[in-house]
Structure formats: C-alpha cells, structure tokens
Amino acid sequence: MRVFDPHIHMTSRTTDDYRRMADAGVRAVVEPAFWLGQPRTNPGSFADYFDSLLGWEPYRASQFGVRHHATIALNPKEANDPRCRPVLDLLPRYLDKDGVVAVGEVGYDSMTPAEDEAFGTQLALAREFELPALVHTPHRDKAAGTRRTLDVIAESGIDPGRVAVDHLNEVTVGLVRDTGCWLGFSIYPETKMSPPRMVEILQRYGTERVLVNSAADWGHSDPLLTVATGEAMLAAGFTADDVDLVLWRNPVAFYAQSGRLDLSDLPAPEPSYAGSSLARGGS
C-alpha cells in the first residue's frame, strides 16, 4: 500500500509520527495552512508560518522519506480578524513558490460576510495563479454551509475540477457529488468521519474524485487513519487497485493540476503490517 495524505497538519505532529507514517507506506503529504489554535495578531506571524511550511517542514519530512508539499491561504476562522486581513496582500508572494500546490484552506468557519469576501478573493487568486483550491466546509450547519460554498465556487468561475470540497460527511456528500468538484473526507478517531463510515460512502458513491485524509491536527487525531481506511476497504471487498486509486492516484491527480507536484525519486513502500489485513495479501 502506498499512501498520499492530501490534507495533514504535520506542524502539529512529532518526528515519531513521520517515522510511523513512513513505515506504514505514507510517501507523500500536503499540508494546508490553517489556524494554529490561538489568535495570530499580525501578518508577520503568518509570514513566519508560511516560511516554515515551505522550508523547515519539507526538510523534516524528507528525513523519513516523505515528500511534503503545502497549500497557502488565509484560513476561514482568522479571516474574521481585522488584524489578519492584510495577509491577503501577502499571498501572491507565496502562491508563486514551487512547493505550493493549491490555495487553501479557504471557505467557511462561521459563514460571516468577512469569510465571504476572503473566500471569493482567494478563489480569484487560485484562478490567477492557475492553482487548485482546497475548501474548508463549516463544522456547524454543514448542509447550509456546503450549499453556500458551492454557490461561491460557481460564482467565482473556477473550474470545479480544480476544487476539493473538504470535511464532507453523509449529509453533504450528495450535495457535492455531481458538481464536478472533488470530494474530501477527514478521518478522525471520534468525530467527522471514521474508516467504516468512509467505506459505506465509497460503496454508495464510488471511488471517483474522492480524497481521503487524516487532517491530524492539534486535537485528538491519528495520522495513520488513511492506512486504517485502506485496510477497512480491503476487508469490505474493495480491491488493492481501488485502495491505490483512493489513497494515491486520486490525490496525485488533483494536486498535479498545479504543475508543481514533485514525487520523483521517492523510495518504494516497504509494508510493515504484521498481523493486519494487509499482511494477509491486501496490498
């Protein structure tokens, strides 16, 4: 099994996590810019953070044979803070860099007018820089938030095939399925989406344009839930090729649209799944 985690916040993980991920077959990751857990008080804080995503974090990942790319944006939560709004003026400086494979996370947290403006502005930047967009749907009022998200995407003129609508669940997947956007799912130990629930969605909606990620942020999370989802797929009767499509080829296809995805010279995965379904012939 080879795994490309298309949305994981490695800034909040330890080097031991990188080692475990590499041992389990994770060979590439994309880290979206996001809220760090407490308010940032000036654009300089974002500049330092963006520099870390494009400098230190790729180096840290490379020590374990993991290829690291990033997405850059003013996240929805902090779009509401007037002190952070000037970050929008910084973005062109970063969106032109080689390691940036999308604009993100953009979208909604509380569906405020400030979020509307930041969302539209950053979708326009995605078009200008010919980058995909990674869109955060709100954790509250998910159906209404997803509908509003899709309206803004349509109004922006961006090609829906260059947009991943993330944090979907059973309530919202049907709203996005036929729009041409990619379907993103974050797998968590207790909230959002679990491996068994993800398998049920794949059985109902298929594997086309599906992106499965661990997010693995500051809260209770697990960077190996992508692997657990692959195991659950195999146990449910999906083929190894189905798993490879969802966990590798789909995220590669989405981010390759940036023209900046570099997966050259990656080491071949060396499965270490003793006792698991993968050790019994699943990969």
Side-chain angles (χ1 to χ4, degrees):
M1 178 186 289
R2 55 182 180 169
V3 176
F4 184 145
D5 195 323
H7 177 161
I8 182 169
H9 298 291
M10 293 308 300
T11 295
S12 63
R13 311 307 304 193
T14 68
T15 49
D16 286 344
D17 287 320
Y18 269 125
R19 188 181 303 278
R20 292 193 304 126
M21 290 161 62
D23 287 346
V26 179
R27 289 292 173 266
V29 300
V30 168
E31 179 162 1
F34 80 135
W35 182 54
L36 287 179
Q38 68 179 32
R40 282 177 278 208
T41 59
N42 65 83
S45 297
F46 283 84
D48 290 339
Y49 170 55
F50 295 160
D51 288 341
S52 177
L53 290 182
L54 298 176
W56 167 245
E57 206 58 48
Y59 169 73
R60 195 164 73 108
S62 71
Q63 296 177 82
F64 302 92
V66 176
R67 190 63 48 83
H68 181 288
H69 296 81
T71 80
I72 297 294
L74 172 62
N75 68 82
K77 188 176 184 70
E78 288 177 294
N80 293 295
D81 190 333
R83 297 173 299 180
C84 301
R85 300 282 295 180
V87 173
L88 294 172
D89 297 326
L90 287 178
L91 293 180
R93 163 182 158 192
Y94 288 96
L95 296 180
D96 209 27
K97 294 183 180 293
D98 287 341
V100 177
V101 293
V103 177
E105 299 179 56
V106 298
Y108 288 114
D109 178 63
S110 300
M111 292 183 285
T112 65
E115 292 171 26
D116 283 328
E117 182 180 351
F119 189 10
T121 297
Q122 293 182 99
L123 288 178
L125 285 171
R127 293 186 65 191
E128 177 183 348
F129 284 85
E130 299 182 341
L131 290 172
L134 180 64
V135 177
H136 180 286
T137 52
H139 302 305
R140 301 171 299 278
D141 299 325
K142 288 197 72 73
T146 300
R147 292 189 188 96
R148 187 162 167 179
T149 295
L150 294 172
D151 287 343
V152 173
I153 291 169
E155 291 165 4
S156 76
I158 192 171
D159 178 353
R162 297 174 70 85
V163 177
V165 182
D166 214 347
H167 304 310
L168 298 178
N169 60 16
E170 293 89 345
V171 174
T172 55
V173 58
L175 300 174
V176 184
R177 182 65 181 87
D178 296 324
T179 65
C181 296
W182 291 69
L183 312 173
F185 299 89
S186 298
I187 315 299
Y188 273 71
E190 295 173 354
T191 61
K192 295 184 182 175
M193 184 62 55
S194 67
R197 289 168 60 197
M198 189 67 238
V199 167
E200 291 180 1
I201 285 176
L202 290 167
Q203 288 171 328
R204 179 173 179 182
Y205 292 97
T207 57
E208 181 183 357
R209 298 197 320 275
V210 171
L211 303 173
V212 172
N213 69 75
S214 68
D217 52 24
W218 298 105
H220 185 196
S221 56
D222 183 348
L224 293 184
L225 284 180
T226 49
V227 177
T229 299
E231 291 182 320
M233 289 177 66
L234 293 169
F238 284 95
T239 67
D241 188 68
D242 294 328
V243 173
D244 190 69
L245 177 64
V246 171
L247 296 185
W248 186 266
R249 302 198 310 272
N250 278 353
V252 168
F254 178 71
Y255 286 115
Q257 296 179 99
S258 68
R260 301 175 184 172
L261 189 67
D262 180 10
L263 300 177
S264 59
D265 303 321
L266 282 176
E270 298 177 0
S272 55
Y273 302 113
S276 76
S277 62
L278 299 178
R280 296 190 291 273
S283 61

